[in-house]
Amino acid sequence: MTISTEELFMDLDRSGPIPLYYQIARRMQEAIERGDLAPGSRIENELKLAEHLAISRPTIRRAIQELVDQGLLVRRRGVGTQVVRGRLTRSVELTSLYDDLSISNRSPTTKVLLHEEMRPSAEILESLTLPADATVLHIKRLRFSDGVPFALLENYLPPEFLTLTAEQFEKHGLYQLMRARGTTMRVARQTIGARVGTAEEAQLFDQKPGSPVLVMSRTLFDQSGHAVEFGEHSYRPDLYSFEVTLVEK
Amino acid sequence: MTISTEELFMDLDRSGPIPLYYQIARRMQEAIERGDLAPGSRIENELKLAEHLAISRPTIRRAIQELVDQGLLVRRRGVGTQVVRGRLTRSVELTSLYDDLSISNRSPTTKVLLHEEMRPSAEILESLTLPADATVLHIKRLRFSDGVPFALLENYLPPEFLTLTAEQFEKHGLYQLMRARGTTMRVARQTIGARVGTAEEAQLFDQKPGSPVLVMSRTLFDQSGHAVEFGEHSYRPDLYSFEVTLVEK
DNA sequence: GTATTCCTAATGATAGGACAAAGGGACATG
DNA sequence: CATGTCCCTTTGTCCTATCATTAGGAATAC
């Protein structure tokens, strides 16, 4: 029943900057994804795990909690902790589309269709919590995967990003540029829906007029709670979809 | 700068079954939603909060973490914890559509279009991790909000739910029925996309043929990691959308 | 035999302490 | 005046410890 975990968790780096609970969580995650921890199998109980790894129970609990939050493990009081049975899917995280594609070796490219300063609408002002006389950067980009256009990205950025150039947006993802300027993203609120594509979208996506598009609008907040992006994106639905993992608390 | 928190957190129930951290988290959430904790304001530091509430730091930390996970607060080491600036939106949680609508007083009704035992396709068998000779319950429901049809719900349930009747599905949501039978939902994996609606969908949703639909497919797992539902849902996109809150770890 | 009660094993909640790391401002120094 | 250094504040990590609650099986009573 209980699988051997001894070898898997040796060589924890206790001096480096990476937290112990994080090191353990990553190793368990890899073990599950490799199949070393079979779906449905129970993992050792928390006290024994703590003893074997020579760490405290709160630390191993925190590591386990990470994987529970990812939907890889399920805990039951009085019983134990089990690996969820079922295929693995990577869930939506706070990474950009560009990062996602780069990771899966899809060679994303970007064409900037519009790059202007503007006085935004009241709705966008409110989303970004800016004063009424503020100027924002308005950009519109077409994103390609292996040369095929599949996403139209329209974004509004607060004044501190006015200096970003069209050339930079051709070469880098928005989040890369934000990170490079010291902005740390923390929270994003997204709404996902669908509608009939506009004439522009149909033409750009090489689809018939009246074809559906998947749409997502997002407000992104940085580490101090300020809104740093408002975006309205549309996707060719046969080439893109969202994955979400939900965990009951 | 720092707001008064004293009055807000009196009368904690230390003997009842509701955890302290949860009571505190709820009160802070209500305070934020009421506006008593203004967007952008810093809350008291953890040590002082713990002292004022006469609880330990781990407990107040856990309460704060709840709200960070909900995207209501942001923490920064060396600085403090702040309320996120920006409108509030309720995020997707592991509740059913029926529950969502009930809560918002929308009087959902359901019409069962199909209710049959069947031998599922290989894809569904794999999603539910069932043996090849298993029989499942296949249901197809049309969901109305205030009399307007807006969602077509097709579900496949493992053998233990074969006894659920069409009448039950007319009166109750799927998750209500599952809960009543002792099943506790824990993890759901969803894919959200869009496509052209089928002829059936166009007719049921009272839309023109070729209109777009928002689609969601979901596999749901219970507390022991078993798959207990596979569903493919489609929604009238002008009447329904998904909200997601993402938090950087 | 069946139902109830009890026990055990496991996770859940809470406490309290110690030290580390990072942000930001004050201060000193070039 | 600009730049670097130190220090204080605050959250991050990790520890030990204790009791509560639950699930499930074992033992018991009827």
Side-chain angles (χ1 to χ4, degrees):
Chain A
M1 252 337 123
T2 311
I3 38 76
S4 77
T5 51
E6 318 248 343
E7 327 80 35
L8 285 172
F9 304 112
M10 309 300 259
D11 300 325
L12 293 174
D13 178 10
R14 299 184 106 86
S15 58
I18 302 158
L20 281 176
Y21 78 88
Y22 186 78
Q23 295 181 47
I24 296 167
R26 280 302 283 268
R27 292 189 193 194
M28 291 180 78
Q29 184 186 339
E30 285 162 12
I32 291 169
E33 285 170 359
R34 267 202 317 270
D36 289 355
L37 290 172
S41 65
R42 274 207 295 276
I43 67 174
E44 244 180 336
N45 76 59
E46 297 176 350
L47 290 171
K48 285 206 174 123
L49 268 176
E51 192 188 339
H52 285 157
L53 300 178
I55 57 169
S56 71
R57 191 173 159 221
T59 302
I60 186 65
R61 261 180 84 73
R62 180 148 182 198
I64 291 172
Q65 191 60 46
E66 291 271 314
L67 301 197
V68 170
D69 290 342
Q70 289 175 40
L72 294 175
L73 295 179
V74 212
R75 349 168 74 140
R76 268 193 300 169
R77 186 191 297 202
V79 179
T81 304
Q82 288 173 287
V83 181
V84 168
R85 301 164 206 269
R87 284 197 320 282
L88 300 178
T89 53
R90 226 162 50 86
S91 71
V92 180
E93 277 156 31
L94 195 39
T95 55
S96 72
L97 186 52
Y98 194 90
D99 295 341
D100 283 349
L101 295 169
S102 300
I103 289 165
S104 49
N105 297 319
R106 291 283 211 72
S107 66
T109 52
T110 306
K111 185 174 171 190
V112 176
L113 304 179
L114 183 71
H115 179 279
E116 60 168 12
E117 292 185 26
M118 73 174 293
R119 305 292 287 273
S121 70
E123 183 203 354
I124 290 163
L125 275 177
E126 197 202 330
S127 290
L128 294 175
T129 52
L130 288 174
D133 61 341
T135 303
V136 301
L137 180 61
H138 175 206
I139 57 171
K140 207 160 162 180
R141 295 167 296 162
L142 187 60
R143 180 67 45 87
F144 302 76
S145 172
D146 291 330
V148 181
F150 75 100
L152 179 63
L153 315 171
E154 191 163 11
N155 290 90
Y156 301 87
L157 308 177
E160 61 260 36
F161 296 106
L162 281 174
T163 53
L164 289 172
T165 66
E167 289 70 42
Q168 289 177 295
F169 284 112
E170 299 262 351
K171 288 206 199 86
H172 306 284
L174 172 58
Y175 285 18
Q176 285 183 335
L177 294 171
M178 285 187 163
R179 262 193 288 268
R181 297 177 52 124
T183 301
T184 309
M185 293 87 70
R186 273 298 153 76
V187 181
R189 302 226 175 93
Q190 301 187 342
T191 303
I192 302 170
R195 59 169 166 76
V196 175
T198 63
E200 182 190 23
E201 284 162 348
Q203 187 230 313
L204 291 171
F205 290 161
D206 195 23
Q207 287 190 314
K208 282 184 297 192
S211 293
V213 293
L214 181 65
V215 294
M216 185 266 285
S217 70
R218 166 171 59 200
T219 307
L220 177 68
F221 301 87
D222 71 4
Q223 77 279 7
S224 62
H226 287 97
V228 289
E229 181 215 348
F230 178 76
E232 293 192 308
H233 298 182
S234 53
Y235 304 90
R236 244 185 84 168
D238 54 338
L239 297 179
Y240 195 76
S241 60
F242 293 93
E243 308 243 323
V244 186
T245 297
L246 304 175
V247 178
E248 176 84 348
K249 297 220 168 169
Chain B
M1 248 349 116
T2 313
I3 40 78
S4 77
T5 50
E6 318 247 345
E7 327 80 34
L8 286 172
F9 304 113
M10 310 299 260
D11 301 324
L12 293 174
D13 179 8
R14 301 185 105 86
S15 58
I18 302 158
L20 282 174
Y21 77 87
Y22 187 79
Q23 295 181 47
I24 297 167
R26 279 304 284 267
R27 292 189 191 194
M28 291 180 77
Q29 185 188 339
E30 285 162 13
I32 291 169
E33 286 170 358
R34 267 201 317 270
D36 288 356
L37 290 171
S41 65
R42 274 206 296 276
I43 65 174
E44 246 180 333
N45 78 58
E46 297 177 352
L47 289 171
K48 285 207 173 120
L49 268 177
E51 191 186 340
H52 284 155
L53 301 178
I55 57 169
S56 71
R57 194 176 159 218
T59 303
I60 186 64
R61 260 182 83 73
R62 179 142 182 203
I64 292 171
Q65 191 60 45
E66 290 272 312
L67 301 196
V68 170
D69 291 341
Q70 288 175 42
L72 294 174
L73 295 179
V74 250
R75 343 168 79 141
R76 268 192 300 169
R77 187 191 297 200
V79 177
T81 304
Q82 289 175 287
V83 181
V84 168
R85 301 165 206 267
R87 283 197 322 282
L88 299 179
T89 53
R90 225 163 51 84
S91 72
V92 180
E93 278 156 31
L94 194 40
T95 55
S96 71
L97 186 53
Y98 194 90
D99 294 342
D100 283 349
L101 295 169
S102 300
I103 288 164
S104 49
N105 296 319
R106 292 282 210 73
S107 67
T109 52
T110 307
K111 185 176 171 188
V112 176
L113 304 178
L114 184 70
H115 179 279
E116 62 168 11
E117 291 185 27
M118 72 173 294
R119 306 290 287 273
S121 70
E123 182 202 355
I124 291 164
L125 277 177
E126 197 203 330
S127 290
L128 294 175
T129 52
L130 288 174
D133 62 341
T135 303
V136 300
L137 180 61
H138 175 204
I139 57 172
K140 207 161 162 180
R141 295 168 296 161
L142 187 61
R143 180 67 45 88
F144 302 77
S145 173
D146 290 331
V148 181
F150 75 101
L152 179 63
L153 316 171
E154 191 163 13
N155 290 90
Y156 301 86
L157 308 177
E160 62 261 35
F161 296 106
L162 281 174
T163 53
L164 289 171
T165 66
E167 290 71 41
Q168 288 178 296
F169 284 112
E170 300 261 351
K171 288 206 200 87
H172 306 283
L174 172 58
Y175 286 16
Q176 286 183 335
L177 294 171
M178 285 188 162
R179 263 193 287 265
R181 297 177 52 124
T183 301
T184 309
M185 293 86 70
R186 273 296 155 77
V187 182
R189 302 227 176 92
Q190 302 186 341
T191 304
I192 302 170
R195 59 170 165 76
V196 175
T198 63
E200 182 191 21
E201 283 161 347
Q203 187 229 315
L204 291 171
F205 290 159
D206 194 24
Q207 287 189 315
K208 280 185 297 193
S211 293
V213 292
L214 181 64
V215 295
M216 185 266 284
S217 70
R218 167 171 60 199
T219 307
L220 177 67
F221 301 87
D222 71 4
Q223 76 279 6
S224 63
H226 287 96
V228 290
E229 182 214 347
F230 178 76
E232 293 192 308
H233 298 181
S234 52
Y235 305 90
R236 243 185 84 167
D238 54 340
L239 297 179
Y240 196 77
S241 60
F242 292 93
E243 307 243 324
V244 187
T245 297
L246 304 174
V247 179
E248 176 83 350
K249 299 222 166 168

